[in-house]
Amino acid sequence: MEQRNEPMNPPAAERKKRILSGIQPSGTPTLGNYIGAMRNWKLLEDQYDCLYMIADLHAITVRQEPAKLRAQSLQMLSLLLAIGLDPEKNVLFFQSHVHQHAEMGWLLNCFTYMGEMSRMTQFKDKSAKHADNINCGLFTYPVLMAGDILLYQANLVPVGADQTQHLEICRDIATRLNALYSGVFTIPEGYSPKIGARVMSLQDPKRKMSKSDPEDCFIGILDTPDTVRRKYRRAVTDSDAQIRFDPENKPGVSNLLSILCALTGETMESLVASLEGKGYGDLKNAVTEATVETLKPIQERFGQFIGDKAYLESVYREGAQRASRIAERTLSKAMKKIGFVAK
Ligand code: AQP
C-alpha cells in the first residue's frame, strides 16, 4: 500500500493539534448529530489533524441486531463521506478495526474507581432508558471513551454539553496515570466548535434529539422531503400561538427556531423579527424548507458512496491502518510503563 504523507510525526513545533471524535452507528444519524457534530468536523479538517471514528464498540452497550449494525456502520461511513469529509485529510475508521481500543479500555478500567463511574449522568439516563439491559459495558463506557481519546494523544475533543462529564473523567484518568508513570498521555482539552446547537426531540423538546428514539422524535439525515414535512407538522409546539425564543416555557417552538438558525446562519433576533405576525404553520414550513435544502446534496452524494462497496472498503481499511499505527505507539508505551514484558 502506498505510504501517505502522514501528518502524524512532524516535530512538535510544526505539528497540527490533533482532534479525535466519534459517532455511534446506533441508527441513522439525526439532524442533531449533523448540526451538533458532523458538519463541524468538515470545518476542522484543514486546521487540525483529525481522526473520526465510527464508534461501533460503544454501540453494543445497547442491544443491536447484527445485520442492522453492519448496515448502519457502512451507512455512517458513507454519510461521513457524503458530508464532504476527505479521507485523505481525515482518518476515518471503525473503532472495532483498531484492537488497541479494547486493550486500552481494559488497562484504564484498572485505574478507574467504581465511585467515579457511578456519578456519570449518562449512565443513569441510559440505564433508565434500557432497564432490561444494564450491562457492565454501559457502566464503563466512559473508560472506553477515555481510551479512544488518549490512544491518539488528542489535544482537542469536540464535545457537546452531554459529554463534558466524560471528558473530565478522561482527563482525571490520564492525570492519574501520568502521576504514576510520567508522560504517558497528552491531557486533552474540550473544544467548542464555532457553530453548534443542541437539537431537541420533536415530540419531547425538553430532551435531546436521539437517533435511537422513536421515528417521529427525530429528523433523520436520510429522511425524504415528505417525511421531513410530516415530522415537523406533527412536532410539539404549544397553544399560545406566539413565535418567540423561550426554551424554558416554549421548548418546542424554541427548538424549531434554533434548528432554523443553525441551518440558515441567521441570528435568532432577525429570525424572530422576520416571523412577527406569522403562525406556527409558517415556522414549520420554513424549517421544513431549510432542512430539505440542507439534506438534499448530502443524500445525493450518499447514494453514490453507499453503492460503492469497494471504495468504502478501501477507505475504512486504510483508516484503520493509519489509526492503528498511532494507537499502537501509545498502547505499547503505556504497557511498558505499567510493567508488562515487551513482545
Ligand atoms: N440532539 C443533538 N444535538 C446536538 N448534538 C448532538 N449529538 C448527538 N445528539 C445531538 C452529538 O453527536 C455526536 C455523536 O453522538 P453519538 O452517536 O456518539 O452519541 P449520542 O450523543 O448518544 O447520540 P444519539 O443520537 O443520542 O445516539 P443514541 O440514540 O444511540 O444514544 C456527539 O458529539 C453528540 O454530542
Side-chain angles (χ1 to χ4, degrees):
M1 175 169 290
E2 185 197 348
Q3 188 68 32
R4 72 180 46 263
N5 232 347
E6 286 291 350
M8 307 307 172
N9 270 330
E14 293 168 30
R15 209 182 287 153
K16 287 182 180 173
K17 285 197 168 166
R18 186 173 291 156
I19 280 191
L20 181 281
S21 199
I23 185 161
Q24 300 184 60
S26 43
T28 302
T30 69
L31 195 60
N33 297 127
Y34 176 70
I35 291 173
M38 294 162 76
R39 71 171 179 176
N40 294 312
W41 294 358
K42 172 70 187 159
L43 303 176
L44 302 171
E45 69 178 14
D46 289 318
Q47 210 182 335
Y48 297 97
D49 169 19
C50 301
L51 295 110
Y52 295 121
M53 156 188 105
I54 296 173
D56 48 5
L57 295 179
H58 285 284
I60 64 160
T61 52
V62 170
R63 199 69 72 229
Q64 303 286 345
E65 205 184 293
K68 240 171 133 181
L69 178 61
R70 244 185 308 276
Q72 285 165 188
S73 300
L74 290 168
Q75 183 193 67
M76 189 65 83
L77 179 62
S78 306
L79 279 169
L80 294 186
L81 296 167
I83 61 164
L85 286 183
D86 178 348
E88 302 276 320
K89 289 185 186 164
N90 306 282
V91 181
L92 306 179
F93 65 103
F94 292 120
Q95 184 186 24
S96 63
H97 288 187
V98 180
H99 61 82
Q100 290 86 352
H101 285 265
E103 294 171 54
M104 182 59 90
W106 173 253
L107 298 185
L108 300 186
N109 261 312
C110 299
F111 293 86
T112 308
Y113 301 108
M114 298 288 287
E116 289 175 309
M117 289 297 98
S118 312
R119 287 194 289 276
M120 297 293 114
T121 53
Q122 206 171 74
F123 171 70
K124 292 178 196 160
D125 293 349
K126 288 215 169 180
S127 46
K129 211 162 145 183
H130 304 281
D132 57 333
N133 180 23
I134 305 176
N135 58 70
C136 296
L138 196 60
F139 188 66
T140 61
Y141 144 99
V143 180
L144 184 62
M145 182 174 154
D148 300 336
I149 299 165
L150 300 176
L151 269 179
Y152 299 98
Q153 309 285 358
N155 306 96
L156 299 170
V157 187
V159 277
D162 54 328
Q163 293 291 340
T164 46
Q165 208 186 17
H166 293 162
L167 180 62
E168 261 328 294
I169 196 77
C170 169
R171 289 165 53 89
D172 290 348
I173 297 170
T175 305
R176 186 170 303 151
L177 269 109
N178 281 355
L180 287 167
Y181 304 112
S182 90
V184 193
F185 297 124
T186 300
I187 308 291
E189 304 283 338
Y191 176 83
S192 299
K194 284 196 189 75
I195 44 171
R198 191 166 157 80
V199 179
M200 310 309 278
S201 161
L202 299 181
Q203 293 300 319
D204 182 2
K206 292 250 175 191
R207 291 186 39 224
K208 77 163 185 158
M209 184 180 278
S210 273
K211 57 180 120 57
S212 54
D213 279 346
E215 266 291 315
D216 270 5
C217 295
F218 65 86
I219 302 288
I221 296 193
L222 294 175
D223 281 352
T224 62
D226 282 346
T227 305
V228 171
R229 193 163 297 110
R230 178 176 48 78
K231 288 184 179 177
Y232 279 130
R233 208 180 294 136
R234 290 188 192 162
V236 166
T237 50
D238 52 53
S239 55
D240 87 354
Q242 214 192 50
I243 299 178
R244 147 170 83 78
F245 185 69
D246 178 356
E248 192 51 41
N249 300 305
K250 296 171 72 69
V253 171
S254 303
N255 188 34
L256 297 178
L257 286 168
S258 355
I259 294 174
L260 196 46
C261 282
L263 295 181
T264 60
E266 200 172 351
T267 63
M268 186 58 74
E269 212 177 14
S270 86
L271 175 64
V272 171
S274 73
L275 288 165
E276 206 185 318
K278 299 204 169 145
Y280 290 166
D282 299 301
L283 171 60
K284 287 183 169 184
N285 284 341
V287 74
T288 298
E289 206 174 296
T291 304
V292 169
E293 277 308 298
T294 302
L295 298 185
K296 194 172 156 205
I298 299 173
Q299 294 178 351
E300 281 168 6
R301 284 195 297 269
F302 170 79
Q304 293 157 17
F305 289 118
I306 194 70
D308 194 345
K309 297 279 179 287
Y311 178 65
L312 292 180
E313 195 174 314
S314 72
V315 169
Y316 68 68
R317 288 225 164 130
E318 175 149 5
Q321 282 181 17
R322 293 168 72 190
S324 195
R325 275 199 289 275
I326 312 170
E328 184 54 36
R329 277 199 293 273
T330 307
L331 182 69
S332 306
K333 181 172 162 189
M335 291 184 76
K336 192 170 163 205
K337 294 225 179 205
I338 291 170
F340 293 103
V341 175
K343 279 186 236 172

